[in-house]
Amino acid sequence: MASYSFTCFLLISFLLSHSDAQPFSSSRPRGVVLPFHKDPSTLQYVTEISLGTPKVPISLVLDLGGKFPWIHCGQKQQLNSSSYQPVDCKSPQCLLASSNSAQIPHCCNETCSISSTNTVTRSTRSGQLGSDVVTLQSGYEPGRRPYLWLRGENVTARRFAFGCGTTSLIGLAKGVNGMAGLGRSGLSFVSQFAAAFHFSRKFALDFQFGNVYFGGGHYIHETLRPSFIYTPLITNPYNQDCSTDYYIGVKSIQIDGENVAIHKKIVIY
């Protein structure tokens, strides 16, 4: 059975304007890796991170086009983490939360107010942008074996931003706490991990072994051939400013062994 890995090498066109607003870490791994599994009931892909102080496991549904991670949380849950901090409404992170959309950030008690969306049910609720400590596993390529990606020690990103509110969990896999945004935005997992650990803004989804790789190199497991099959993700050239989604370039469509006719003048995204 072939292995398919979606790989994205995209440059983010904007940067956080102040270094103290970025997530940061004293660790400098080549990359980080998040395992995920397919929920048999909803067919959604679920990953887990450790959040806060003390660390609490948080399960999230992977959202390929999501602007930022969001968690269903209340005041009690926030106070249980001694490292949780609300994001100031005048901070660059607050401005990034509203980029790629017509939404204008606003303040509530000097805290950045945002809207989080359950992209399965399309339900949106208001909340606040907060930051906390995120712990996850590093990955690296040992020696001269470029097609081997191993798990390393745990690393920590501080001031990691996420939406915190009462967004509905209806339609999501049982036991999850929110969604992990992987989209083309300054506050997605991709951008925030790159800022915290100082590696490239790129990631890959490996559906055979159930891993999301951030930064690093070839991402290929030792049991796979170097010539593995992959599908590159691209941006929509007609909607680059507003969309945080990725697209695939379709050259042909085949159903049950038969090619489907495509108008040559139509570009499909």
Side-chain angles (χ1 to χ4, degrees), residues 3 9 15 22 24 30 54 65 74 77 82 94 97 140-141 159 165 167 169 256 263-264:
S3 167
F9 296 88
L15 298 173
Q22 299 184 43
F24 68 92
R30 295 272 317 260
Q77 187 169 349
S82 62
C94 190
Y140 66 99
E141 301 164 278
R159 295 181 186 169
T167 308
L169 297 175
D256 197 23
H263 197 291
K264 297 298 183 181

Side-chain angles (χ1 to χ4, degrees), residues 116-146:
S116 301
T117 301
N118 178 333
T119 54
V120 174
T121 61
R122 300 296 177 183
S123 60
T124 300
R125 296 283 181 86
S126 60
Q128 69 177 25
L129 191 66
S131 68
D132 211 331
V133 176
V134 170
T135 302
L136 61 161
Q137 200 165 42
S138 65
Y140 66 99
E141 301 164 278
R144 297 185 178 181
R145 302 178 66 185

